[in-house]
Amino acid sequence: MKKGYSDDIKKLQAYIKRLQEIKDVLYAVEEVALEVERGVSEIDARIPLRETLDEIRDGEQRAQAEHALDLLEETFALIDEILGPPEDEVTGEPVGTPMDPVARGSRSSEIKLEDFLRNYKPGSKGKVS
C-alpha cells in the first residue's frame, strides 16, 4: 500500500525553507559587496593609472601606488567573483557568472553554509568599516 507523497512534500517544504534562508543570505552578501564596491571605486578614482606610474618621481610614493593598484586588482577580482563580472561593453552580456565554480576554483567553501546560517541574523546589516 502506497502512503502517498507526504514524505516528499515534507522534504520539499524543508528545501523551500532552506532556499529562502540562502536567498536572504545572498541578498545580505550582495548588499555588503555593493557597499564595498562603492568604497573601492572611490579609492580607484584617487589612485593613478598603471600607465602613469613612471610620472611619479618619488620612489616610495610610486611603490605605494603600485601596491595599491595590485590590491585594487585583487579587490575587484573578489567583487567580480561574488557579484559576477562586469558586462561586456560590446554585447552587454555578463562575462561569466557569479559564484561560478570555475571562478571559485575547485576548492570547497571555507565556511560551511549551515554554520553561516546558524550565525546569520536576518535583518542585520553587515557594516564595513
Side-chain angles (χ1 to χ4, degrees):
M1 177 180 284
K2 274 191 158 180
K3 62 180 186 172
Y5 298 101
S6 61
D7 287 345
D8 292 332
I9 289 170
K10 287 177 187 176
K11 284 181 182 179
L12 288 168
Q13 289 171 331
Y15 290 149
I16 288 170
K17 182 179 180 201
R18 193 167 182 201
L19 288 169
Q20 287 290 345
E21 291 172 342
I22 292 169
K23 182 183 81 168
D24 292 343
V25 170
L26 287 175
Y27 285 146
V29 167
E30 180 181 48
E31 185 177 323
V32 172
L34 288 169
E35 183 180 328
V36 168
E37 183 179 42
R38 284 188 290 275
V40 170
S41 293
E42 291 173 10
I43 294 169
D44 185 34
R46 293 190 296 267
I47 304 293
L49 298 174
R50 204 169 284 280
E51 296 81 30
T52 62
L53 284 178
D54 291 339
E55 297 172 11
I56 301 173
R57 296 289 173 227
D58 182 285
E60 184 177 333
Q61 190 177 12
R62 185 173 47 250
Q64 285 183 348
E66 191 168 359
H67 184 62
L69 286 169
D70 291 341
L71 292 173
L72 276 172
E73 287 176 9
E74 182 178 354
T75 305
F76 279 125
L78 286 167
I79 290 169
D80 288 351
E81 191 175 322
I82 293 166
L83 296 177
E87 295 177 349
D88 182 277
E89 292 179 18
V90 176
T91 66
E93 295 292 319
V95 184
T97 57
M99 300 308 288
D100 181 305
V102 174
R104 287 190 324 215
S106 60
R107 71 190 187 289
S108 63
S109 177
E110 293 175 13
I111 61 169
K112 297 287 180 224
L113 181 60
E114 286 78 15
D115 293 339
F116 182 82
L117 289 174
R118 193 173 16 263
N119 295 318
Y120 172 71
K121 307 284 188 266
S124 67
K125 292 188 177 185
K127 291 292 175 190
V128 178
S129 49

